[in-house]
């Protein structure tokens, strides 16, 4: 829903460009993503509904032709997107060290069962398998195969890597740098959930804390599965969430935790709808006090760069200076946090510098009511 009131004439091109870039990232098609755009001021007008267009080109053509509505006061800003096809990038990191030679067939069978439950197809789930001991080695990347049968065929053919020692830390770093990258098929920048499943059978010979933290900072959801030889505390530090770290006595018992893991993976949903900030406009004077209230919860980690870019482009269109436009940015999840207030900066450049320096807050749950009250 786009604010088309008189007070948003100058920022409307930036809003329109933002909507266009969001649509370009979506997978619009029959049975997939759907988009609707509504513009309003005193009264709302639907330019098209969720079932109007089934092709991305038609949606983009309609978005490009939008004109500013210009009528009366405004109250709300929202963009409606229906995600009809869940997408995930799933990396399975397997301990292939000498100690796990006997357990490897059970680990391989587990990977096979996980893949069978996923929706591996163009535009849907993608899978990569990495095996490691002293050094990590990608069996295949996220963009190597596009069908489930191709992935399963490769998984069935996996052979034990062998080697020692077990460097889990360097394997995690390898996943971050070489597997969850654009060139290897990661869709992180498109807002697709990033999931890492680690099968581990021993304490790491190198440090896992820094590379695990670096993965989580990218928004990667980490699940760990260990056996009786694993360091359970180490696996919990990697996943960060105790419920995402499970143990079995032996890898032959993996079927007992399979459903639990798959249920957890199914719940990993990252909203592909970047939250459009609410803009409060003084309609009676050539001055505006503009407050951006940004959803900084765990669910928007991947979408946050697009939100920050939107704020920057809106500020660039404003006339920020003494006795003219003033800007404030508040980010919230469980609790709101003001990055700067309306009277903190009096120049556009220092405001833009502060916006560029914004970092994702994180946290949950999402208490929008408390944030509105605080604001």
């Amino acid at each position: 829903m786009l604010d088309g009131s008189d007070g948003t004439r100058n920022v409307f091109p930036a809003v329109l460009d933002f909507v266009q870039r969001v649509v370009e990232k979506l997978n619009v098609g029959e049975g997939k993503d759907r988009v609707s755009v509504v513009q309003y001021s005193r009264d709302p007008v639907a330019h098209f509904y969720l079932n109007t267009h089934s092709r991305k080109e038609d949606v983009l053509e309609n978005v490009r032709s939008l004109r500013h509505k210009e009528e009366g006061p405004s109250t709300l800003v929202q963009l409606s997107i229906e995600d009809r096809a869940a997408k995930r990038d799933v990396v399975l990191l397997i301990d292939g060290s000498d100690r796990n030679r006997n357990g490897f067939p059970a680990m391989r069978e587990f990977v096979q069962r996980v893949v069978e439950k996923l929706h591996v197809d163009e535009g849907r789930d993608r899978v990569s398998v990495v095996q490691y001991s002293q050094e990590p080695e990608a069996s295949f990347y996220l963009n190597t195969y596009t069908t489930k049968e191709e992935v399963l065929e490769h998984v069935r053919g996996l052979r034990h890597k062998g080697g020692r020692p077990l460097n889990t830390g360097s394997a995690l770093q390898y996943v971050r740098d070489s597997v969850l990258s654009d060139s290897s098929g990661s869709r992180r920048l498109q807002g697709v959930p990033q999931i890492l499943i680690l099968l581990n059978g021993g304490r790491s010979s190198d440090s896992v804390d820094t590379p695990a933290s670096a993965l989580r900072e990218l928004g990667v959801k980490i699940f760990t599965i260990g056996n009786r030889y694993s360091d359970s505390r180490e696996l919990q530090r990697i996943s960060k969430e105790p419920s995402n770290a499970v143990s079995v006595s032996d890898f032959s018992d993996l079927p007992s935790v399979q459903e639990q893991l798959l249920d957890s993976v199914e719940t990993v949903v990252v909203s592909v709808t970047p939250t459009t900030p609410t803009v409060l406009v003084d309609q009676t004077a050539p001055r505006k006090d503009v407050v951006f209230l940004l959803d900084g919860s765990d669910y928007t980690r991947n979408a946050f760069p697009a939100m920050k870019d939107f704020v920057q482009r809106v500020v660039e269109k404003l006339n920020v200076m003494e006795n003219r436009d003033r800007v404030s940015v508040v980010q919230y999840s469980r609790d709101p946090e003001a990055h700067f207030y309306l009277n903190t900066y009096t120049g556009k450049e220092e405001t833009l510098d502060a916006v560029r320096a914004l970092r994702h807050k994180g946290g949950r749950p999402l208490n929008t009511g408390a944030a509105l009250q605080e604001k």
Side-chain angles (χ1 to χ4, degrees), residues 97 132-135 163-167 205:
S97 63
Y132 79 102
S133 51
Q134 182 171 359
E135 302 289 342
R164 57 182 180 180
L166 184 66
N167 292 327
S205 296

Side-chain angles (χ1 to χ4, degrees), residues 73-254:
S74 63
T75 56
L76 174 67
V77 180
Q78 181 182 339
L79 175 62
S80 298
I81 300 172
E82 182 180 356
D83 185 6
R84 302 282 295 183
K87 299 176 282 288
R88 303 173 194 84
D89 291 341
V90 181
V91 179
L92 293 119
L93 180 58
I94 306 173
D95 179 345
S97 63
D98 290 346
R99 166 171 275 176
N100 277 323
R101 185 175 302 277
N102 293 336
F104 189 79
M107 297 164 71
R108 182 176 57 201
E109 184 179 350
F110 175 81
V111 172
Q112 181 178 328
R113 290 195 304 269
V114 169
V115 173
E116 287 170 346
K117 294 291 186 179
L118 296 174
H119 305 285
V120 182
D121 197 358
E122 282 288 357
R124 299 293 299 274
D125 297 335
R126 294 181 180 179
V127 179
S128 171
V129 171
V130 178
Q131 194 178 162
Y132 79 102
S133 51
Q134 182 171 359
E135 302 289 342
E137 179 182 327
S139 300
F140 54 92
Y141 295 95
L142 290 166
N143 56 2
T144 303
Y145 301 120
T146 58
T147 68
K148 181 181 291 188
E149 279 310 310
E150 291 177 308
V151 174
L152 286 173
E153 184 177 353
H154 196 122
V155 170
R156 296 184 192 108
L158 288 175
R159 296 293 177 265
H160 185 252
K161 172 180 168 61
R164 57 182 180 180
L166 184 66
N167 292 327
T168 305
S170 63
L172 293 171
Q173 190 67 41
Y174 175 79
V175 169
R176 182 193 185 279
D177 296 340
S178 301
V179 181
L180 294 179
S181 64
D182 288 345
S183 60
S184 296
S186 170
R187 295 166 293 176
R188 179 179 64 86
L189 297 179
Q190 301 173 36
V192 174
Q194 307 288 286
I195 299 171
L196 173 62
I197 301 173
L198 169 63
L199 291 169
N200 170 273
R203 179 177 296 177
S204 180
S205 296
D206 60 358
S207 175
V208 301
D209 295 328
T210 298
S213 176
L215 279 167
R216 294 194 303 270
E217 286 176 1
L218 284 184
V220 180
K221 194 78 167 180
I222 306 176
F223 299 91
T224 59
I225 304 176
N227 64 10
R228 63 180 178 273
Y229 300 111
S230 304
D231 183 334
S232 59
R233 292 184 179 179
E234 181 177 80
L235 295 184
Q236 288 183 5
R237 295 204 313 272
I238 293 173
S239 66
K240 198 65 174 180
E241 299 182 30
S243 61
N244 292 343
V246 299
S247 296
V248 292
S249 176
D250 188 84
F251 284 134
S252 61
D253 298 326
L254 282 171

Side-chain angles (χ1 to χ4, degrees), residues 361-374:
K361 173 180 169 61
R364 57 183 176 178
L366 184 65
N367 294 328
T368 305
L372 291 170
Q373 184 68 33
E374 180 74 14

Side-chain angles (χ1 to χ4, degrees), residues 3-12 39-42 68-74 281-285 288:
D3 183 345
S5 64
D6 297 341
T8 63
R9 182 197 300 269
N10 293 336
V11 301
F12 191 76
Q39 190 179 173
Y40 75 101
S41 52
R42 186 180 302 277
H68 189 251
K69 188 176 188 297
E70 298 181 3
E71 180 191 18
S74 63
V281 180
D282 180 356
Q283 307 274 2
T284 62
K288 294 182 284 293

